Amino acid sequence: WSQAVENTAMDNVATERRAEESHRQDSADLLIFIMLLTLTILTIWLFKHRRFRFLHETGLAMIYGLLVGVILRFGVHVPRNTNNVTMSCSVNASPATLLVNVSGRFYEYTLKGEVSTVKGPEVQDDEMLRKVTFDPEVFFNILLPPIIFYAGYSLKRRHFFRNLGSILAYAFMGTVISCFVIGLVMYGCVSLMKTVGQLGGDFFFTDCLLFGAIVSATDPITVLAIFNELKVDVDLYALMFGESVLNDAVAIVLSSSIGAYQPAGDNSHTFDATALIKSFGVFLGVFSGSFALGVATGVMTFTKLRDFPLLETALFFLMSWSTFLLAEACEMTGVVAVLFCGMTQAHYTYNNLSPDSQNRTKQLFELLNFLAENFIFSYMGLTLFTFQSHVFNPMFIIGSFISIFLGRAANIYPLSFLLNLGRKNKIGSNFQHVMMFAGLRGAMTFALSIRDTATYARRMMFSTTLLIVFLTVWVCGGGTTPVLSFMSIRVGVDSDQDNSVNALDGIQRRDTEHERAWPFRMWYNFDHTYLKPLLTHSGPPLTATLPACCGHLAHCLTSPQAYENEGRLHNDDSDDLVLNDGNATMYEDVTVSTDALGTRTANPKHSRMPAFGEHELVVRGTCLVMQLDDPTMSTPPPATSPPPFSDPFVDPFSEPRRNRL
Amino acid sequence: WSQAVENTAMDNVATERRAEESHRQDSADLLIFIMLLTLTILTIWLFKHRRFRFLHETGLAMIYGLLVGVILRFGVHVPRNTNNVTMSCSVNASPATLLVNVSGRFYEYTLKGEVSTVKGPEVQDDEMLRKVTFDPEVFFNILLPPIIFYAGYSLKRRHFFRNLGSILAYAFMGTVISCFVIGLVMYGCVSLMKTVGQLGGDFFFTDCLLFGAIVSATDPITVLAIFNELKVDVDLYALMFGESVLNDAVAIVLSSSIGAYQPAGDNSHTFDATALIKSFGVFLGVFSGSFALGVATGVMTFTKLRDFPLLETALFFLMSWSTFLLAEACEMTGVVAVLFCGMTQAHYTYNNLSPDSQNRTKQLFELLNFLAENFIFSYMGLTLFTFQSHVFNPMFIIGSFISIFLGRAANIYPLSFLLNLGRKNKIGSNFQHVMMFAGLRGAMTFALSIRDTATYARRMMFSTTLLIVFLTVWVCGGGTTPVLSFMSIRVGVDSDQDNSVNALDGIQRRDTEHERAWPFRMWYNFDHTYLKPLLTHSGPPLTATLPACCGHLAHCLTSPQAYENEGRLHNDDSDDLVLNDGNATMYEDVTVSTDALGTRTANPKHSRMPAFGEHELVVRGTCLVMQLDDPTMSTPPPATSPPPFSDPFVDPFSEPRRNRL
């Protein structure tokens, strides 16, 4: 018995040692990535410092990833770990959990996945390479959500809403067009490969369509960063950013509905109308479900936590995350839910946050986005060499480059033509060329393609996708500045300058008014009159906007702070007054009386002091804002004039913009 | 062949479905925790709002965790998943990776751990409970580091250094004493249990010692939160906080050295002098190694990233994390490394950051700390019901409560007596009683005990530890306010008020001077003259502090910004001058010319403008700081007077403290 105890103890020690060793190795592997990121950050700083623009940080991260991948692949030789000897044991199923009986003691094993039959027993050869390979789900569930959320949260909503129709057209119809064009071209290419004998496995039409969906998610982050720096035309920026944000959502839902396309019966991989309709139903259901979920969470108001910014920030963060998880748990798409959650939170919830929390959330998500993005891109570089089952097929690669070019062209040019029929502010051909050129592929495409690399077709798609991302990021990213100047796109545009000119020029202003479509105007009015007051406390109180018959209801639904807004208006304590210039539509960029950091609320002492002097007029969009620090100007404004509230379409990330006359 | 393809496709679909289902379940489980945290935050807000003090947020998180645990355990019945049928397969070893051959296809399985033999085949019964159980390493590698880092980063260093000797005594000697006292008492208890026949498995002396090490890590977070709110005496606060921060590090290293105590030969679990010495060597090696590593990373300077706060914050975050990983990869203790990294970064690196980054890093780590802490505590509550192999033994539990009481007493009272022999500022008996009372156990104890629950002894230790944490947090946490008033501890103490009184009163000042031990004075002088100038650019340039012979070296090592400090000093542009009051020791709280947010550096434009008016005198500790905004006072100060630099002992988290005369 003593011998048995001894053995058990020795066994325990051995197991512990092994666990320790494995943990040590894990830490070292993670350290590689941290070092990669650190290196990237330092180089980015160098580039920013010296104002290099030909290579974006993500391109850089990829290059470093590539270098480390090469080193790991060819330079490092980990001595074979004899403890890890793999053994075969024949059972007749592959359960998720396996219990192994080793001389009377039970060990639990969990299924990791299928191993390619060809490699079979020599799977442990590449221990080191396998160690640096993450579970693909990590990208989807951990790294992608902050990126997508940040995109939604930092969307410049003013310009986004101004171009909403076009953006929706590009994002929905365009992505679907692009997906089918790419799918068809690739099907042709694959058929050709099959006749030539270049194809080493199955490649069905659904696979082609899936490839189309995967590479239809554009991610012009590199281009947009340059746009931002050069202050390129805001409409072009809005079109491209809006499209890229939304087409990620479309592509992800599209790919999952193509996955759901399972023809009934045994005539597999042929056309089946029922399955197609089902797929379409899945697309609509998942998209609208995720949308609803995201909006529902985004709309939540937390009115009374303002005094504790830490709690508020934590709650905000948790709410966003729970949206993602909830969507995933309901078999919807978390990424889409998070996108709309971010957009709604920026539109409503942001107004309810304390200034400190506004700042904190912004900085937190900025950091998360930065880290996640650079991590994904450096992992992409790494995986080109460390991924074990690449299938590079020259014909497929050439075919895919042709197809994505055709797909992008079939998206941009016809849609732009159709949109220009309805738009006052035409999308010029130079804009179209730039949009065509800026069809980069990025993190979303990568995450979608690495998610499943089980079959031959999927592996070939993954390898090709990697090359597409590399080339588009380096070539298109690096070529942005020359292309902009070649296409003679205006740079150095100050969006506000632009606006105030519009506002002062009567003819131009009428133009912009007509430009707005009536659904947008209706939405804006509805949002401003009912949703904003209901969901935030920055609007006018509901009691003022709802008809008198709903007085009691309105009273219940209005937050005390909204009354404060009204009260403050009548008290006239050194606050902003919005003087309407007779034009009550106000759907443009109205007033930013609090700046981005919300100094108004931040300085309660200051506002109580009677301040003299400073009496300024601010022109924003179509209306005038008069800033009063003068107690003599204390006549109450007419009851119909809107009280101060923060601009629904001003993005929370811009500097306080105030044009002094 | 077509049939085979069909089968494969069907198989793939089935595998995919299973993976999807499992992912959905994972999301739902994580959602439970997020909801728990959300609930906790909302209740914390309610408590803060209504100023309830009897229950701290962590106690609350535990209660919610308990409730959810009860629901999961008794309320939820997940239908048995037939796909997860476990099968036994006899092999003669337990490799880390297992390859299973299922009718010609290979599946890879990874070792999850040993399953208790008693339960054996019915392991899948508690699918739901197992799903909400995290890998214990998650606590150590993900949740604990931010908590420990934040403790180091937010340490009030001024008071910490003032009581350094006592803190080190409590943390090192005290924890070791406590560990051995608890170990011995428990060994007695276990021997008694064995004779009575209450012991159901092995329990060796090393296990007793390990238990001692685990429960010696105090975590008076609840008490400290109340202290902070009530502004309890700063020295008491510093003693308790310093001790709790450092004894975590000691306990963790102690427990790993006890684990390393493996007597040679087959006379297992008996005394072996060589093994003891080896253990001691491991303790010293791991502790000093981790310390050195943490300090080395903390000391890194990034001088030129100031213009890009995002990059700076990201780099700061990555550096802290890589310290942890590096230590783990080198077989040292990441948590200890991270603690000292945090302390050093607060002391040196913080001064090099841009004001924006100072704010960002502080808020980021505050948030991470908050989330991690509440997560751990709610998980603790949950695990009381969901952990599957609890061993509750009444005798052991009673014995352990007696032993921790004795261990704490053997730590505090004798050491306080010895320390009081050397201290001018005695640790009063009421302080000692409060320290005795505040020996709560928390996150570190939990993480240490859940790390390994393989043997019977470990399981009993884990269950008992859980109870200890619950009771101490609720009873001691809830009883803090009554105990404080019973012990007549001063509350509402303003630390600065205290100081300026000291400074003005000559006799008292001499007292405080004598109080400082010479090693501390030497360290301060060394730090101030060499380390600060070398590692930050907030001190005087090295060229001024090093002897002339090292001029060239000094020139190389001084950052350009430090020269700016000097230059600014001679230019006298609206900056602070430090006028020494004849007493050059200056080891106390010297001058905070830049406030916590570093407005000086934040307003470069402002400092170039010739400012008039405001001419104030600031008394800090033993010296006078004269703030000049008056260009007429522009006589250069004597070369020996120290130039403006930020206070080495001011904690970055306090408000700017400036006493106007």
Side-chain angles (χ1 to χ4, degrees), chain B residues 3 33 36 62 68 82 85 194 220 269 296 357 368 381 408 425 450 466 479 494 500 506 522 544:
Chain B
Q3 186 60 36
F33 286 104
L36 254 173
M62 281 200 301
V68 173
T82 46
V85 171
K194 203 178 270 173
H269 303 289
S357 292
L368 290 181
R408 184 80 189 155
N425 174 16
I450 204 178
L466 265 189
D494 183 1
S500 57
M522 268 185 62

Side-chain angles (χ1 to χ4, degrees), chain B residues 374-528:
Chain B
N374 282 299
F375 183 84
I376 288 192
F377 277 89
S378 62
Y379 186 79
M380 263 191 243
L382 193 80
T383 207
L384 186 63
F385 285 97
T386 59
F387 184 68
Q388 310 248 348
S389 4
H390 273 304
V391 180
F392 289 112
N393 187 316
M395 270 186 82
F396 190 83
I397 292 166
I398 293 168
S400 68
F401 272 100
I402 295 170
S403 75
I404 61 166
F405 183 81
L406 292 177
R408 184 80 189 155
N411 170 357
I412 298 297
Y413 295 118
L415 282 180
S416 303
F417 176 75
L418 290 176
L419 287 170
N420 276 342
L421 295 179
R423 276 177 77 104
K424 264 268 151 51
N425 174 16
K426 307 284 185 209
I427 300 167
S429 66
N430 55 347
F431 278 26
Q432 295 178 27
H433 296 320
V434 171
M435 288 180 74
M436 172 76 206
F437 176 80
L440 307 178
R441 270 67 179 176
M444 176 59 82
T445 303
F446 173 75
L448 279 172
S449 68
I450 204 178
R451 203 174 194 184
D452 182 358
T453 52
T455 65
Y456 170 80
R458 292 295 189 95
R459 272 180 219 132
M460 194 154 75
M461 276 152 61
F462 172 63
S463 306
T464 310
T465 305
L466 265 189
L467 291 183
I468 292 174
V469 174
F470 287 160
L471 275 173
T472 54
V473 167
W474 287 331
V475 173
C476 301
T480 308
T481 326
V483 165
L484 282 181
S485 63
F486 183 75
M487 291 294 167
S488 54
I489 304 282
R490 278 200 304 167
V491 296
V493 180
D494 183 1
S495 62
D496 290 308
Q497 204 77 41
D498 216 25
N499 256 324
S500 57
V501 170
N502 270 5
L504 290 177
D505 185 338
I507 304 159
Q508 250 184 288
R509 187 174 58 197
R510 213 180 308 147
D511 265 9
T512 24
E513 270 165 43
H514 280 268
E515 214 182 286
R516 308 285 144 269
W518 61 266
F520 175 63
R521 212 167 344 180
M522 268 185 62
W523 153 250
Y524 174 75
N525 282 329
F526 179 72
D527 180 53
H528 170 63

Side-chain angles (χ1 to χ4, degrees), chain A residues 1 5-6 12-13 16-18 20-21 23-24 27-28 30-31 34-35 37-38 41-42 44-45 48-49 83-115 117 120-121 123 130 137 141 202 204 262 265-266 268 304-305 307-308 310-311 313-315 317-319 321-322 325-326 328-331 356 360 363-364 366-367 370-371 452 455 458, chain B residues 1 5-6 9 12-13 16-18 20-21 23-24 27-28 30-31 34-35 37-38 41-42 44-45 48-49 83-115 117 120-121 123 130 137 141 202 204 262 265-266 268 304-305 307-308 310-311 313-315 317-319 321-322 325-326 328-331 356 360 363-364 366-367 370-371 452 455 458:
Chain A
W1 185 81
V5 168
E6 186 68 14
N12 280 343
V13 170
E16 225 160 81
R17 281 283 139 78
R18 217 152 55 202
E20 244 169 52
E21 178 57 32
H23 172 67
R24 209 181 59 74
S27 300
L30 206 50
L31 196 59
I34 305 290
M35 288 299 164
L37 282 184
T38 309
I41 289 175
L42 289 176
I44 293 169
W45 164 75
K48 290 209 175 193
H49 194 69
N83 273 328
N84 271 351
V85 171
T86 308
M87 32 190 69
S88 295
C89 123
S90 288
V91 286
N92 44 9
S94 58
T97 312
L98 193 72
L99 212 62
V100 178
N101 185 342
V102 182
S103 48
R105 306 177 75 210
F106 289 90
Y107 291 93
E108 195 184 349
Y109 284 81
T110 43
L111 183 62
K112 207 172 168 191
E114 198 187 342
V115 176
T117 336
V123 94
R130 272 187 36 232
E137 292 296 312
N141 299 326
D202 291 322
F204 302 109
Q262 295 292 345
D266 58 351
S268 182
K304 288 183 175 169
L305 261 76
D307 301 333
F308 308 99
L310 175 64
L311 296 186
T313 311
L315 195 62
F317 175 75
L318 291 177
M319 293 297 288
W321 194 12
S322 65
L325 291 173
L326 194 63
E328 290 288 320
C330 299
E331 299 191 49
D356 193 11
R360 280 178 186 225
Q363 292 177 345
L364 174 70
E366 191 186 4
L367 181 69
F370 177 81
L371 290 177
D452 183 357
T455 64
R458 291 297 188 95
Chain B
W1 188 80
V5 167
E6 186 69 15
N12 281 344
V13 171
E16 225 160 83
R17 280 283 140 78
R18 217 153 55 202
E20 243 170 53
E21 178 58 31
H23 172 66
R24 209 181 59 75
S27 301
L30 206 50
L31 197 59
I34 305 289
M35 287 299 164
L37 281 184
T38 310
I41 290 175
L42 290 176
I44 293 169
W45 165 75
K48 288 210 177 194
H49 194 68
N83 274 328
N84 272 351
V85 171
T86 308
M87 32 190 70
S88 294
C89 119
S90 287
V91 286
N92 43 8
S94 58
T97 311
L98 193 72
L99 213 62
V100 178
N101 184 343
V102 182
S103 47
R105 305 177 75 210
F106 289 91
Y107 291 93
E108 194 184 350
Y109 283 82
T110 44
L111 181 62
K112 207 173 169 190
E114 199 187 340
V115 176
T117 336
V123 93
R130 274 189 32 235
E137 293 296 313
N141 299 327
D202 292 321
F204 302 109
Q262 294 292 344
D266 58 351
S268 182
K304 288 184 175 169
L305 261 77
D307 301 333
F308 308 99
L310 176 63
L311 296 186
T313 311
L315 195 62
F317 176 75
L318 291 177
M319 293 296 288
W321 195 11
S322 64
L325 291 173
L326 194 62
E328 290 288 321
C330 299
E331 298 192 46
D356 193 11
R360 279 179 186 222
Q363 292 177 345
L364 175 69
E366 191 186 5
L367 181 69
F370 177 81
L371 290 177
D452 182 358
T455 65
R458 292 295 189 95

Side-chain angles (χ1 to χ4, degrees), chain A residues 166-172 174-175 243 411-412 415-416 419 427 435:
Chain A
S166 311
I167 289 170
L168 289 178
Y170 286 125
F172 282 83
T175 308
E243 188 216 343
N411 170 358
I412 298 298
L415 282 180
S416 302
L419 287 170
I427 300 167
M435 288 181 74

